[in-house]
Amino acid sequence: MKLSAREVAGYCARPDPEAAGLLLYGGDPMRVAHRRQQAVAALIGPQGEAEMRLARIAGADLRRDPAALMDAVKAQSFFPGPRVALVEEAGDSQAETIAAALGDWRPGDAQIVVTAGQLKPASKLRKLFEGHRSARAAAIYDDPPGREEIQAELARAGLAGASGPALDALFALGRTLEPGDFRQTLEKLALYKLDDETPLSAEEVGLLAPASTEAEADDVVHAAAEAREGEIGPLMQRLSAQGVTPVRLSIAAGRHFRQLYRAASDPEGPGKGIARLRPPVWGPRRDRMEKQARDWGAARLQTALQLLADTDRALRSANQTAPQMAVMERTLLRLSRLRGRR
């Protein structure tokens, strides 16, 4: 059975304990690992691994020892409770072995959880899980988490009572950080506020937010917005070397230019428009964005948003043949030249 994009988060948080298996695959290993960790923890509980109810098998090891998976599925732990046989970094070369284990799976056996990289629609592994009546296949995309997912993470960290600007700042952070980094930041915030009964502030969120490649991603977006064309190439090279994906840059650019468009379109002017943004923008960054909104104007920003939307579709298209980072760099250069026109 194939899970839709909207079903993935909910299913990984509450997977079917009676299912035979779950395949998680995608191009971002960190996001796949986050969903895998979430699903396994929900299936076996926080003590499951310590109680030897989790068997880990690397995909490469499964090629050398095909019987390892069947043994893990049928084995019994000294401790009662559900079990998971986890196959990490699998590929189509392991599909036959995994198919045999799924075919012989019976209620009471360990649930088979498999992680993989990007898989094409014709992938044997995808077809196996999508066509199995008691297994699920879930594609993990690079999209930022939704509001419900972020609220669930806040509740898990004990920060569900955050409100106002602090909550806006946390939502903004959750949509820019990688899932693991966001969870660690929430844990730090929870410890920071452990003996402090005052409400969490946006300034405290900013203080404990990790320094990351987001700053340089913002730099390249600002360079495009301010027509500093010569800075875009070097910044893109640095971001590429750090592993920042083109889709992530596309999301950051789209978010920034949507904010500029909302500000520039405000009936009371860009200043009032910036003040009404959610999450709010403070200090020098607010002044900088207000100037950008004035310099661009609503009409050119609308053109910029159309260009970014076209680029985002191209990056996510299976038919895209050009190198994705080059496509994103070309878009930022076009934005810079569009801003430079008078």
Side-chain angles (χ1 to χ4, degrees):
M1 183 184 301
K2 181 179 179 180
L3 295 175
S4 70
R6 288 180 296 180
E7 294 174 315
V8 172
Y11 187 85
C12 288
R14 295 174 297 279
D16 181 0
E18 306 300 324
L22 172 64
L23 169 66
L24 301 165
Y25 66 93
D28 187 335
M30 181 176 285
R31 292 181 186 274
V32 172
H34 171 66
R35 292 301 182 199
R36 179 262 302 158
Q37 184 181 31
Q38 198 177 26
V40 170
L43 286 167
I44 64 174
Q47 300 302 317
E49 188 165 8
E51 294 176 354
M52 296 177 289
R53 290 187 285 112
L54 172 64
R56 294 178 180 271
I57 306 169
D61 293 340
L62 193 59
R63 280 198 297 269
R64 293 190 289 269
D65 183 11
L69 178 57
M70 190 72 78
D71 292 343
V73 169
K74 298 295 182 182
Q76 294 295 320
S77 169
F78 290 110
F79 298 89
R83 295 173 295 111
V84 165
L86 173 63
V87 182
E88 298 183 281
E89 299 180 6
D92 282 352
S93 58
Q94 289 91 27
E96 189 173 331
T97 301
I98 295 170
L102 279 174
D104 200 41
W105 186 90
R106 298 291 182 272
D109 289 347
Q111 186 163 155
I112 302 168
V113 177
V114 179
T115 66
Q118 195 67 53
L119 297 175
K120 295 180 179 180
S123 160
K124 294 178 182 178
L125 205 53
R126 273 186 63 173
K127 287 185 173 181
L128 170 64
F129 279 81
E130 289 175 357
H132 196 283
R133 64 182 180 181
S134 184
R136 311 290 196 283
I140 311 301
Y141 297 107
D142 294 343
D143 300 330
R147 198 174 182 90
E148 288 184 5
E149 292 177 69
I150 293 173
Q151 285 177 324
E153 290 291 347
L154 293 179
R156 193 175 292 114
L159 295 169
S163 61
L167 187 59
D168 289 335
L170 286 169
F171 282 141
L173 198 62
R175 295 181 68 82
T176 55
L177 291 180
E178 295 292 345
D181 293 338
F182 182 58
R183 179 179 289 181
Q184 288 178 1
T185 302
L186 293 182
E187 290 170 357
K188 284 198 299 181
L189 281 165
L191 287 172
Y192 180 78
K193 300 296 287 183
L194 189 61
D195 297 317
D196 184 354
E197 296 181 1
T198 61
L200 180 69
S201 70
E203 288 74 15
E204 289 171 326
V205 174
L207 180 67
L208 294 180
S212 69
T213 55
E214 289 304 318
E216 289 194 0
D218 284 346
D219 286 343
V220 76
V221 174
H222 279 299
E226 294 168 356
R228 292 183 281 114
E229 187 176 330
E231 298 178 25
I232 292 174
L235 282 168
M236 291 292 286
Q237 289 178 0
R238 193 152 63 237
L239 287 165
S240 180
Q242 292 171 354
V244 177
T245 65
V247 170
R248 188 170 167 186
L249 286 175
S250 176
I251 291 169
R255 180 173 58 247
H256 183 80
F257 276 83
R258 280 192 298 273
Q259 288 181 321
L260 293 183
Y261 179 71
R262 283 198 293 271
S265 303
D266 194 282
E268 297 184 47
K272 286 289 186 182
I274 291 289
R276 281 193 261 265
L277 290 178
R278 290 290 180 269
V281 180
W282 298 280
R285 184 167 178 263
R286 173 175 172 168
D287 296 337
R288 187 178 193 180
M289 289 183 66
E290 182 179 344
K291 184 178 186 308
Q292 289 175 11
R294 290 186 188 281
D295 289 344
W296 274 85
R300 277 192 296 181
L301 284 167
Q302 197 167 25
T303 303
L305 286 173
Q306 184 58 57
L307 175 59
L308 284 166
D310 292 344
T311 300
D312 192 69
R313 281 194 294 271
L315 291 175
R316 296 171 192 270
S317 170
N319 298 322
Q320 175 65 36
T321 56
Q324 290 196 331
M325 194 58 93
V327 170
M328 190 65 222
E329 182 174 350
R330 184 178 62 189
T331 295
L332 291 172
L333 289 170
R334 289 177 66 186
L335 288 171
S336 176
R337 291 163 191 162
L338 178 63
R339 160 62 187 83
R341 292 177 194 165
R342 293 294 180 185

